[in-house]
Amino acid sequence: MKLSELIEQTLSEIANGIENAKTSSNHLIAISPHSIDGKPVSEMSYIEFDVSIAVTEKSDSSSSSERGGGGEIKVLSIAGLNGKSSSRDDEANSISSQLTHRISFKVPVCMSGKVLN
């Protein structure tokens, strides 16, 4: 996976997560607000994330011309570190590599603000 693809997919996943959280939590807290009820937000808290992700790339070993067929980003968990979910047939017909990266980011929230529609 190219660095540009890693950055694109990572930022896209973070943005989608924030957007989904905004939709499902707008009656509880304001996530990444510019204003609440038309008033600028002056006091914000931040929720910080420090996660390890694994970038896995697989290619079919039966056709060497199609190596590097894309990658997949997953957040690592204890189960993800200890176990594999692929079958022996999959392992016999594919070559895979996995790189681990650490990503830190923070999301601004206003705990006392509710977004009203």
Side-chain angles (χ1 to χ4, degrees):
M1 174 180 279
K2 292 179 171 179
L3 178 60
S4 60
E5 292 171 334
L6 173 68
I7 293 168
E8 178 185 351
Q9 287 184 19
T10 302
L11 291 176
S12 178
E13 288 292 321
I14 291 169
N16 285 331
I18 291 170
E19 190 62 33
N20 291 342
K22 279 182 173 182
T23 303
S24 65
S25 303
N26 67 354
H27 62 287
L28 301 172
I29 63 173
I31 299 171
S32 190
H34 296 288
S35 63
I36 297 175
D37 297 332
K39 299 176 188 170
V41 176
S42 59
E43 187 176 320
M44 248 188 269
S45 300
Y46 291 88
I47 298 175
E48 295 187 28
F49 296 86
D50 189 359
V51 295
S52 293
I53 61 168
V55 178
T56 305
E57 293 195 63
K58 288 188 177 182
S59 62
D60 188 5
S61 63
S62 61
S63 67
S64 59
S65 64
E66 295 187 20
R67 289 253 155 95
E72 178 179 48
I73 297 175
K74 290 187 178 182
V75 176
L76 291 180
S77 64
I78 293 173
L81 291 174
N82 294 331
K84 283 192 171 182
S85 60
S86 61
S87 69
R88 286 185 173 236
D89 290 337
D90 290 341
E91 290 175 10
N93 293 327
S94 67
I95 299 171
S96 67
S97 64
Q98 185 177 50
L99 296 172
T100 304
H101 303 277
R102 182 176 166 188
I103 297 178
S104 299
F105 61 96
K106 58 185 177 179
V107 178
V109 296
C110 185
M111 297 295 191
S112 61
K114 296 178 185 176
V115 178
L116 302 176
N117 293 332

